[in-house]
Amino acid sequence: MKISAAISFPFEPSQATRRARDLEAAGIDMIWVPEAYTFDAVSLLGYLAAHTERVELATGILPLFSRTPSLIAMSAAGLDSVSGGRFVLGLGTSGPQVIEGWHGVPFDRPLTRTRETIDICRILWRREQVVYDGEAYRLPLPPDEGTGLGKPLRLINRPLREEIPIYLASIGPKNVQLTAELADGWLPAFFHPDRAGDVFGPDLEIGGNRRDPSRAPLEVVAGGPLAICDSETAERIRDMARPATALYVGGMGARSKNFYNDIFRRCGYEREAQEIQDLYLAGHKDEAAAAVPTGYLEATALVGDEGFVRERVLAYKAAGVTRLHVDPMGDDWPGLIELVRSWVD
């Protein structure tokens, strides 16, 4: 079991560098840089590649609607090159509010676009001519859709690796099936280690049955805040997740199209999901945060006394997580990482 952590803006470059070096020295295996509607992830990852030596560097995630498949593949190949083969391409669809509101493009055919983006990336990394006749993407562009001057091209540089790992953020049934079929890794949201098998297991099995047997088993990335502390401090740390959970479950999308609310219901919190959404959409954000079930926060956070934290870490491992994602807290968080590694190695 490997261990990962995230670095996100608004870090200044020097702060991000110090944090990355400290994480690497503490034994973290993988650093994720998210991208929402702030600075892009690619720029910071390129910077961190020059200031780290061992740790894997990953986008967590690039919204695939924000770039053409070819540009995604080019950026991935470039980051893999400057990092010496340490890059992981994390992709996801994001949602209609960000894609249509920020990027100004229709949020259409997300499953098709995900599948075809993966196909095109892998064609490009093999330095084959990029000729692709998909439903969402056609390369070169047909004459009746452009000038007619497009021609098949191949990547000029030879990529360091023909197979750059692709991790997908997915939670919907069809998207999870696609992940298990095609991706190298999976980034699930609201992963409850005690209920994940019931929620995601059937779809992982369907997709896994379609998986190329030559491809390595699917990596799974999940976890939460990490701290060994007294009960009062643990409650305070867990409560820090309430506003973000309420935002996603209650307000990340329209009432009829909220992927996060759906997954919360499937985890067994149907009544709570409805209450959180009703409160959040009515403008009562604090009340929505208070409605997040304490049991969910306790089960998904790695926070408490040493025995409890160890039990939660091993619960994630038993649920199939291969890369434990942590947000380490406390003065001796490097020692905490070392302790967790001793439990999972």
Side-chain angles (χ1 to χ4, degrees):
M1 194 180 201
K2 294 188 176 181
I3 304 176
S4 74
I7 292 178
S8 59
F9 293 106
F11 271 109
E12 293 296 323
S14 59
Q15 292 176 309
T17 297
R18 286 195 299 272
R19 182 65 169 173
R21 286 175 170 168
D22 288 345
L23 288 169
E24 186 175 50
I28 289 288
D29 300 291
M30 192 176 202
I31 292 175
W32 296 90
V33 173
E35 182 176 289
Y37 34 95
T38 179
F39 294 165
D40 72 295
V42 174
S43 297
L44 181 55
L45 283 166
Y47 186 82
L48 294 180
H51 293 87
T52 55
E53 298 178 356
R54 175 195 57 80
V55 69
E56 288 183 283
L57 300 169
T59 51
I61 58 166
L62 290 186
L64 59 88
F65 283 89
S66 66
R67 300 160 171 85
T68 66
S70 296
L71 179 57
I72 290 172
M74 291 164 62
S75 298
L79 285 170
D80 202 48
S81 177
V82 299
S83 67
R86 294 184 286 130
F87 178 65
V88 171
L89 176 60
L91 289 174
T93 60
S94 187
Q97 287 185 323
V98 172
I99 298 306
E100 297 185 358
W102 183 253
H103 295 289
V105 297
F107 188 83
D108 69 320
R109 299 175 289 178
L111 283 170
T112 298
R113 291 185 183 276
T114 301
R115 178 180 292 274
E116 294 185 3
T117 295
I118 292 172
D119 288 344
I120 293 168
C121 282
R122 289 175 174 162
I123 291 169
L124 189 147
W125 294 332
R126 293 193 297 266
R127 289 197 73 237
E128 298 173 4
Q129 281 195 333
V130 184
V131 177
Y132 194 81
D133 187 20
E135 296 179 21
Y137 302 107
R138 290 190 284 175
L139 302 170
L141 195 66
D144 62 344
E145 295 184 25
T147 64
L149 299 176
K151 64 178 183 178
L153 299 170
R154 74 176 77 242
L155 187 67
I156 295 174
N157 304 73
R158 183 171 297 280
L160 193 62
R161 293 185 290 176
E162 288 187 356
E163 280 279 344
I164 296 171
I166 297 175
Y167 285 38
L168 291 181
S170 59
I171 52 176
K174 293 296 184 182
N175 215 344
V176 171
Q177 291 173 26
L178 184 147
T179 300
E181 177 189 356
L182 294 179
D184 300 291
W186 177 39
L187 301 161
F190 296 110
F191 187 95
H192 191 309
D194 305 321
R195 303 181 183 181
D198 293 334
V199 175
F200 298 114
D203 295 314
L204 290 171
E205 183 177 2
I206 291 170
N209 288 337
R210 298 195 293 258
R211 189 177 184 85
D212 184 341
S214 68
R215 190 163 291 283
L218 186 72
E219 300 278 0
V220 181
V221 184
L226 173 64
I228 292 178
C229 54
D230 59 62
S231 58
E232 183 178 340
T233 303
E235 182 179 1
R236 185 168 65 251
I237 292 173
R238 289 193 295 264
D239 283 347
M240 292 168 58
R242 288 184 180 277
T245 304
L247 166 63
Y248 279 86
V249 174
M252 192 61 74
R255 182 180 294 276
S256 61
K257 199 176 185 67
N258 182 326
F259 310 125
Y260 305 98
N261 190 277
D262 292 343
I263 201 64
F264 213 65
R265 292 171 183 269
R266 290 168 61 198
C267 280
Y269 301 108
E270 188 165 347
R271 179 185 59 79
E272 293 90 341
Q274 183 68 56
E275 181 183 7
I276 293 167
Q277 188 176 62
D278 289 343
L279 288 167
Y280 201 95
L281 294 180
H284 305 302
K285 297 181 180 179
D286 291 341
E287 291 89 339
V292 174
T294 298
Y296 166 79
L297 298 173
E298 291 176 345
T300 55
L302 310 168
V303 178
D305 62 50
E306 183 173 326
F308 179 80
V309 173
R310 184 176 188 274
E311 185 271 327
R312 285 292 84 200
V313 167
L314 296 180
Y316 273 102
K317 186 175 183 179
V321 172
T322 61
R323 296 184 176 230
L324 185 69
H325 188 73
V326 301
D327 179 13
M329 301 179 182
D331 294 334
D332 185 28
W333 62 263
L336 186 54
I337 296 297
E338 183 178 354
L339 179 61
V340 170
R341 184 169 297 285
S342 73
W343 296 337
V344 300
D345 280 349

